[in-house]
Amino acid sequence: MIFEMGAKLDGDDFDTSKNDKKNKKVSTEIKPKNQHQLVFTFEKRRGKPVTLVGRFYLEEKEKKEILKLLKKKLACGGAIKDEWIELQGDVKEKVINVLEKENWNFR
């Protein structure tokens, strides 16, 4: 009687690839400024207010420029997540004022 301990790793049928649990489809459609209809949402994360501005269908470079402008004008932090820009604080009215001067449309 032979006692074997451990796993048998014979064969090449083991899938060791990482499974992506978040299968998000990001739209690569790029629209000009006047065709965007920006929407605002407000969330509280761990008790802190966060304002989401979005669906920006732009290239990554242009999104970063908009984020930089908003962070500078509003004196707050922010980040880009897919087509959305996240800003720290309840700054909806201020964002509307800044982006209206840049000729953006809102719903």
Side-chain angles (χ1 to χ4, degrees):
M1 180 185 239
I2 298 175
F3 179 72
E4 293 182 20
M5 188 170 172
K8 293 183 181 179
L9 299 175
D10 298 334
D12 293 332
D13 59 343
F14 298 105
D15 184 22
T16 59
S17 64
K18 204 175 209 182
N19 293 334
D20 188 15
K21 294 180 182 178
K22 297 179 182 179
N23 291 331
K24 295 181 181 178
K25 295 181 181 178
V26 177
S27 175
T28 58
E29 181 181 346
I30 297 174
K31 295 182 181 179
K33 239 190 232 191
N34 56 3
Q35 290 183 1
H36 279 78
Q37 290 292 318
L38 299 180
V39 179
F40 293 91
T41 60
F42 178 77
E43 295 180 1
K44 282 206 167 196
R45 297 182 183 170
R46 297 184 193 129
K48 309 265 178 153
V50 176
T51 303
L52 298 170
V53 184
R55 297 270 183 191
F56 286 96
Y57 298 104
L58 299 170
E59 292 181 16
E60 198 67 29
K61 182 180 176 185
E62 294 171 350
K63 286 186 217 174
K64 287 181 181 180
E65 290 174 5
I66 294 169
L67 177 64
K68 186 176 179 179
L69 170 78
L70 289 172
K71 286 169 54 175
K72 190 172 188 178
K73 295 280 184 179
L74 304 176
C76 68
I80 298 173
K81 302 282 177 136
D82 298 325
E83 292 98 24
W84 294 89
I85 290 181
E86 299 179 353
L87 298 168
Q88 294 175 355
D90 188 6
V91 291
K92 179 181 175 184
E93 299 301 323
K94 294 177 184 178
V95 171
I96 291 174
N97 293 336
V98 171
L99 291 180
E100 277 181 345
K101 292 177 184 175
E102 298 290 323
N103 299 322
W104 288 92
N105 296 329
F106 303 98
R107 269 193 207 163

